[in-house]
Amino acid sequence: MYVISDSCISCGACADTCPMGAIAMDDSLGRYAIDGNTCIDCGSCADGCPMGAIAPGE
Ligand code: SF4
Ligand code: SF4
């Protein structure tokens, strides 16, 4: 799965690019987060993040 770091500024761009709808605002974290059970590792979200906050994770 891909993961979002604390560099996220909650612009929301990544959520629109995800074909699985796996990205959403996480109010408890104060930033966007990826649902690892839904992510298919396509990488689309990482390419569009202005902060480079998205990368392949565990
Ligand atoms: Fe956060 Fe990047 Fe997604 Fe914007 S595109 S919400 S900065 S992870
Ligand atoms: Fe969605 Fe693809 Fe990013 Fe996973 S890697 S969160 S499926 S856009």
Side-chain angles (χ1 to χ4, degrees):
M1 64 173 283
Y2 274 60
V3 294
I4 295 176
S5 76
D6 287 340
S7 300
C8 171
I9 57 171
S10 298
C11 71
C14 55
D16 292 336
T17 66
C18 180
M20 300 298 293
I23 311 177
M25 181 65 192
D26 187 321
D27 291 327
S28 66
L29 293 174
R31 59 167 169 74
Y32 275 65
I34 294 170
D35 177 0
N37 293 319
T38 308
C39 173
I40 57 172
D41 289 326
C42 72
S44 297
C45 54
D47 292 340
C49 178
M51 301 301 290
I54 310 177
E58 298 295 308

